[in-house]
Amino acid sequence: MAVIVSPTQLARELTGSPSPPHTPPTLLDVRWELTGPSRRPEYEAAHLPGAVYVDLETELAGPVGEGTGRHPLPDPQVFGAAMRRAGVRQGHPVVVYDGGRGWAAARAWWLLRWAGHEDVRVLDGGLAAWEGPLTGEVPRPPEGDFTPRPGSLPVLDADGAAALARTGVLLDARSGERYRGEVEPIDRVAGHIPGAVSAPTTENTAESVSGGACGSAPGAFRPAAELAARFAALGIDADTEVGVYCGSGVSAAHEILALAVAGIDAALYPGSWSQWSADPSRPVATGPEPG
C-alpha cells in the first residue's frame, strides 16, 4: 500500500475524480516546528479544505517525564480521542500533511500505522507543494470511530536499540554534526549511540539534491529507487533488521517513511537521543564512525 501521495493525486481524490470513484480521504494538518509557538494560527488562516488541525505536542506526544525523552508516545486513549475528534474512521483513508518539511506528518503517519490504521499516506512535499485551493473555514467533522490497537509497527527501547546497533543497522536520523558530537543544541550530551550509522533524514528529500532534482518540490521524497540505493550504501536491503532514532522520535519517523517508500521495514526508537543521553550509564560515541 502506498505511503505517500502526490499533490496531483490528492487533488483528484478530493474531487472524487478517480475511476472507480473513491471517498475523499480524511485530512489532518499537523504543521509544527521544533521550537516556537503552535502553528494553529497559520492553520486557521489557510489550510486544505476539510483538514482538521492536530497538535503534535499535545496529541501526537505524551507528557515528558523522567527518562521519557522529549516526545514520548502518547497515551493510546488520548491519541484515539484526538483522532476521533478529527473524524478518523477505521478502514477510511487518511492523508496527513505539514508545512513541507515532512517530520510532523511522518510522526502522525507512523502513530496511526502503529495504532492499527491501515490506510494512511503523507502528502509528498506537504503544504508547500500544494497548488489547489485553501480555506480559512475550520471544519467540524462527524466523530470518527477509530480505536487504537498499539503494536502494529515495531518499537525499540534503549536496550533494544543498543542490541540492534550490533546485530542489524541502527540509523541516526539527526544531522551529521550532531551525530559526530560536534554540536548538541538541545540534549545533555553530544554524540551518538555506539554502533549507529549516520543517515540524516534531510538526504531523503529532493531539497538535498543539487538544483532541486527529481522534478519535485523541495521537501518531496526522492524516487524509491534512489532511496533504495541510498540505504543499500548504508548496508541495508529488504532483509536487514533496521531501527531508527533521532533527537526525540519525530524526524526518525520521517526516515522510517523514507525506508517504507523504498520497500524496507524499520523499527522506531521513540525515546531516541533525548532519552539515551539523559541516562549517564549509557555509553556515547563521537566522531564520523559508528564506534
Side-chain angles (χ1 to χ4, degrees):
M1 183 174 290
V3 294
I4 58 174
V5 60
S6 70
T8 301
Q9 177 62 25
L10 178 59
R12 293 194 189 104
E13 294 182 17
L14 292 176
T15 58
S17 61
S19 181
H22 295 284
T23 304
T26 299
L27 296 178
L28 304 181
D29 184 313
V30 289
R31 276 177 273 184
W32 169 81
E33 289 295 336
L34 180 60
T35 58
S38 167
R39 302 289 296 276
R40 185 177 181 92
E42 295 176 33
Y43 159 81
E44 292 177 348
H47 54 267
L48 270 66
V52 175
Y53 183 74
V54 176
D55 184 73
L56 187 147
E57 296 291 343
T58 61
E59 297 173 320
L60 303 183
V64 175
E66 184 176 356
T68 64
R70 281 182 279 110
H71 288 109
L73 298 185
D75 179 276
Q77 292 187 346
V78 173
F79 176 64
M83 293 300 98
R84 290 189 293 274
R85 173 190 61 80
V88 174
R89 290 173 279 161
Q90 191 67 46
H92 184 82
V94 177
V95 171
V96 295
Y97 70 90
D98 58 23
R101 194 177 200 178
W103 291 7
R107 170 78 171 204
W109 166 83
W110 185 92
L111 279 170
L112 279 163
R113 291 287 295 109
W114 167 78
H117 201 297
E118 296 180 352
D119 191 353
V120 190
R121 293 167 294 165
V122 169
L123 175 59
D124 199 17
L127 188 63
W130 179 251
E131 297 181 350
L134 298 173
T135 182
E137 181 179 351
V138 176
R140 296 290 185 267
E143 183 85 359
D145 64 1
F146 177 66
T147 299
R149 303 186 307 277
S152 294
L153 292 182
V155 173
L156 298 169
D157 60 12
D159 290 340
L164 185 57
R166 298 189 297 268
T167 62
V169 176
L170 180 66
L171 298 179
D172 185 319
R174 300 172 301 158
S175 68
E177 292 83 0
R178 290 182 72 187
Y179 171 87
R180 293 189 295 270
E182 296 167 2
V183 297
E184 182 45 65
I186 305 173
D187 294 312
R188 187 183 68 86
V189 178
H192 60 267
I193 296 174
V197 176
S198 180
T201 195
T202 52
E203 295 180 16
N204 295 323
T205 57
E207 63 189 348
S208 64
V209 183
S210 176
C214 307
S216 302
F221 281 102
R222 301 169 78 162
E226 287 189 15
L227 289 171
R230 183 202 180 201
F231 294 124
L234 297 173
I236 297 169
D237 59 29
D239 297 323
T240 308
E241 187 178 6
V242 184
V244 187
Y245 74 95
C246 58
S248 68
V250 175
S251 65
H254 189 273
E255 188 104 294
I256 291 175
L257 181 58
L259 285 156
V261 171
I264 300 166
D265 296 329
L268 174 70
Y269 172 26
S272 286
W273 186 247
S274 57
Q275 181 186 57
W276 182 281
S277 63
D279 183 349
S281 72
R282 295 283 176 188
V284 172
T286 56
E289 300 301 324

